[in-house]
Amino acid sequence: INTINEKLEKKVIERTLALSEKTKSQKTMLQNLKQGVFLLNKDLSIEKEYSKYLENILEKQGLQDIDIIKTLLESSSLSIDNKNTIIMSLSSILGDDKINYELNEHNLPREITYNSPSGQKKHLQLSWDLVDDRNNITVDKMLVVVRDVTKIKELAYKAKIKQKEFKILTQIIARPVENFLNFFNEVFF
């Protein structure tokens, strides 16, 4: 019996160390990931373990146990109807059968405009994924990933303007020189 107890104690120590290392790795990832990642609980609150970058994106500190309405939706440019639809959809998904996720997934926004506390309008891209229970039947939580795509949107807009300018220039260049000179003389002289 002593040998069995020693083996069990050794196994418990090994597994505890492995779990501790895994937890440390996950915390390191969450602290260094340049995206906002959090788990949404059944009461629509953010679980205490979330990526540090989420605070940078939302410009808010201490987000654990705060509901998503106050954290994300309240400061968005979504209409009241859209916000209510999202809240109703999440309420029907979380803690219920996975089929509700399939039925309501289309109501969860993929992109929102967020009015940050500093007054900046941020374009946020959202990803919603279910975390089911051990029985693989009900949705226990939602994994939400938030990306700030504001700079990408701004660059795309600038590129679109440059593309229009380039198109105009190519049209001017494609014309005979005489047409351009006539136009230039009419406009400026």
Side-chain angles (χ1 to χ4, degrees), residues 35-97:
Q35 294 182 4
V37 179
F38 65 92
L39 287 171
L40 187 62
N41 292 314
K42 294 175 188 171
D43 63 355
L44 303 183
S45 67
I46 295 175
E47 203 162 274
K48 72 176 183 172
E49 297 294 329
Y50 59 88
S51 68
K52 191 74 172 162
Y53 201 71
L54 181 64
E55 292 180 346
N56 292 354
I57 293 172
L58 300 179
E59 299 178 19
K60 295 179 180 179
Q61 305 296 312
L63 299 171
Q64 70 275 2
D65 299 326
I66 297 175
D67 74 34
I68 192 169
I69 300 155
K70 291 187 176 124
T71 311
L72 191 61
L73 298 180
E74 195 174 80
S75 298
S76 76
S77 61
L78 294 169
S79 71
I80 292 172
D81 286 341
N82 284 345
K83 290 175 188 177
N84 288 335
T85 300
I86 294 165
I87 293 165
M88 295 300 291
S89 296
L90 287 171
S91 296
S92 72
I93 292 170
L94 290 161
D96 217 325
D97 195 278

Side-chain angles (χ1 to χ4, degrees), residues 32-181:
N32 295 303
L33 191 63
K34 297 297 182 199
Q35 294 182 4
V37 179
F38 65 92
L39 287 171
L40 187 62
N41 292 314
K42 294 175 188 171
D43 63 355
L44 303 183
S45 67
I46 295 175
E47 203 162 274
K48 72 176 183 172
E49 297 294 329
Y50 59 88
S51 68
K52 191 74 172 162
Y53 201 71
L54 181 64
E55 292 180 346
N56 292 354
I57 293 172
L58 300 179
E59 299 178 19
K60 295 179 180 179
Q61 305 296 312
L63 299 171
Q64 70 275 2
D65 299 326
I66 297 175
D67 74 34
I68 192 169
I69 300 155
K70 291 187 176 124
T71 311
L72 191 61
L73 298 180
E74 195 174 80
S75 298
S76 76
S77 61
L78 294 169
S79 71
I80 292 172
D81 286 341
N82 284 345
K83 290 175 188 177
N84 288 335
T85 300
I86 294 165
I87 293 165
M88 295 300 291
S89 296
L90 287 171
S91 296
S92 72
I93 292 170
L94 290 161
D96 217 325
D97 195 278
K98 288 179 7 178
I99 191 73
N100 286 342
Y101 176 75
E102 302 294 328
L103 295 171
N104 288 286
E105 179 185 15
H106 69 280
N107 292 324
L108 304 176
R110 302 292 176 225
E111 202 167 288
I112 63 170
T113 301
Y114 175 78
N115 302 310
S116 71
S118 68
Q120 181 184 9
K121 285 191 184 295
K122 295 183 177 185
H123 297 280
L124 303 181
Q125 193 175 64
L126 306 172
S127 170
W128 308 82
D129 293 297
L130 60 89
V131 178
D132 47 19
D133 66 350
R134 292 179 189 218
N135 299 325
N136 202 22
I137 297 171
T138 61
V139 178
D140 193 34
K141 300 174 183 182
M142 294 282 294
L143 174 67
V144 183
V145 179
V146 182
R147 286 183 57 213
D148 185 352
V149 294
T150 305
K151 289 187 174 135
I152 295 169
K153 290 260 187 192
E154 288 171 359
L155 289 173
Y157 178 74
K158 288 178 182 177
K160 189 175 181 179
I161 290 173
K162 293 291 182 192
Q163 188 177 23
K164 283 182 180 179
E165 291 172 354
F166 179 74
K167 186 177 179 181
I168 291 169
L169 287 174
T170 55
Q171 289 175 349
I172 291 171
I173 292 171
R175 300 278 179 228
V177 176
E178 294 168 2
N179 289 358
F180 177 73
L181 290 174

